[in-house]
């Protein structure tokens, strides 16, 4: 019985040794699966640096953050110029690919683009799926109402039964519906149409980003509209998006953003594109 036990133990030890060797071989093969010469694969930043070019996804249609100068093909805007400056300081060329927001994020994960910027808010949900830079824009939601009577609205609780204009899929229209407003959506119309309808009473309110609404009002001073003085909600922060796990690239982006904050470049760009406002500074406000 003792002899049989020793043989049994020897067999077990032999099998354990074989499994260990196979596991080691498997580990070695896994490490080299993407690199035949046995060297560690290049990181996202190393690939970009070697190529000398960074590819950025943006819309090209969102004023004033990413748009084309009137009558030209020149792409510019607050975030576009931030991206150009980041590339310059990293000694890189930059290539822009214009697409919708869903396409941007899909292209980011597929590796078609390296970074994405298009007034994208930094949220906990996005942090689970992507890596986001330090913020360079702080904003909040506001409301355009009639100037003479504030559309009979004092707080968001007064939206019940009011006609809210906007796009159905936005977070702003979602908020309006949550407060009981009647949704009024449009099929590809200009900002002037939205604002004019509030002015003449066809609709009552437009919920949207404060800085974007401020610029819109400046463009149409003759209309009977204003930004509600007491309605502020959903403070937000915007940043550059990179693929989850590309920490080296994110680190480079954050280093340059920090420099641009410290030397005043971001403040200068903000004032250039946001009518003199510094959106890079977080405001101390009370929110609903």
């Amino acid at each position: 019985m003792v002899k049989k036990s020793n043989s049994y133990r020897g067999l077990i030890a032999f099998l354990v040794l074989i499994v260990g060797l196979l596991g080691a071989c498997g580990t070695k093969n896994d490490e080299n699966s993407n690199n035949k010469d046995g060297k560690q694969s290049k990181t996202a930043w190393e690939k970009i640096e070697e190529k000398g070019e960074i590819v950025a996804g943006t819309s090209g249609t969102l004023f004033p953050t990413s748009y084309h100068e009137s009558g030209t093909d020149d792409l510019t805007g607050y975030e576009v110029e931030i991206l150009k400056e980041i590339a310059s300081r990293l000694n890189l060329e930059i290539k822009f690919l214009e697409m919708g927001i869903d396409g941007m994020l899909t292209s980011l994960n597929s590796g078609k683009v390296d970074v994405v910027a298009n007034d994208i808010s930094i949220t906990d949900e996005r942090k689970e799926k992507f890596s986001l830079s330090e913020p360079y824009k702080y904003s909040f939601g506001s409301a355009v109402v009639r100037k003479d009577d504030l559309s009979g609205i004092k707080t968001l609780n007064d939206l019940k039964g009011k006609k809210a204009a906007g796009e159905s899929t936005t977070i702003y229209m979602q908020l309006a519906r949550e407060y009981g407003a009647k949704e009024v959506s449009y099929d590809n119309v200009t900002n002037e149409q939205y604002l004019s309808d509030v002015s003449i009473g066809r609709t009552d309110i437009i919920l949207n980003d404060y800085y974007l609404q401020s610029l819109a009002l400046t463009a149409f001073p003759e209309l009977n509209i204003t930004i509600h003085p007491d309605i502020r909600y959903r403070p937000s922060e915007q940043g550059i998006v990179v693929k989850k796990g590309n920490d080296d690239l994110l680190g480079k982006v954050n280093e340059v953003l920090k420099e641009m904050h410290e030397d005043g470049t971001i403040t200068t760009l903000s004032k250039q594109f946001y009518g003199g406002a510094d959106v890079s500074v977080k405001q101390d406000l009370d929110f609903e």
Side-chain angles (χ1 to χ4, degrees), residues 8-24:
Y8 179 75
R9 290 174 183 173
L11 176 61
I12 293 297
F14 176 74
L15 291 175
V16 169
L17 176 62
I18 292 298
V19 170
L21 289 173
L22 289 174

Side-chain angles (χ1 to χ4, degrees), residues 235-256:
S236 61
E237 302 175 354
Q238 282 74 40
I240 293 169
V241 190
V242 304
K243 187 177 180 178
K244 191 77 171 179
N246 287 353
D247 298 334
D248 57 336
L249 174 56
L250 183 65
K252 292 291 182 181
V253 168
N254 279 332
E255 284 177 16
V256 178

Side-chain angles (χ1 to χ4, degrees), residues 46-62:
E46 288 171 341
K47 291 176 182 177
I48 292 169
E49 188 177 33
E50 184 178 82
K51 187 179 179 182
E53 178 185 74
I54 189 167
V55 182
T58 193
S59 70
T61 59
L62 183 61

Side-chain angles (χ1 to χ4, degrees), residues 125-237:
E125 182 179 358
R126 285 201 175 105
K127 285 180 180 178
E128 292 179 0
K129 300 176 181 178
F130 305 96
S131 294
L132 292 104
S133 75
E134 293 300 314
Y136 47 75
K137 181 189 174 191
Y138 297 90
S139 190
F140 55 91
S142 63
V144 169
V145 292
R146 282 183 292 280
K147 187 185 296 184
D148 55 8
D149 64 354
L150 301 182
S151 299
I153 297 168
K154 293 182 179 180
T155 71
L156 290 176
N157 291 319
D158 297 322
L159 289 185
K160 188 173 182 179
K162 297 291 185 179
K163 290 175 286 186
E167 296 181 19
S168 296
T169 59
T170 65
I171 60 172
Y172 299 106
M173 187 57 80
Q174 178 184 343
L175 183 66
R177 289 193 292 264
E178 289 173 2
Y179 277 90
K182 297 177 181 178
E183 178 180 337
V184 180
S185 58
Y186 295 78
D187 184 18
N188 195 31
V189 299
T190 64
N191 278 342
E192 184 176 7
Q193 182 69 61
Y194 279 106
L195 299 171
S196 294
D197 282 358
V198 173
S199 179
I200 63 177
R202 187 172 294 161
T203 57
D204 300 303
I205 190 169
I206 304 170
L207 300 179
N208 212 311
D209 177 87
Y210 170 76
Y211 291 109
L212 295 181
Q213 292 203 334
S214 296
L215 289 171
L217 263 65
T218 301
F220 303 102
E222 73 281 2
L223 297 179
N224 177 34
I225 52 177
T226 188
I227 291 181
H228 200 292
D230 301 319
I231 294 181
R232 305 184 186 96
Y233 54 93
R234 287 192 177 177
S236 61
E237 302 175 354

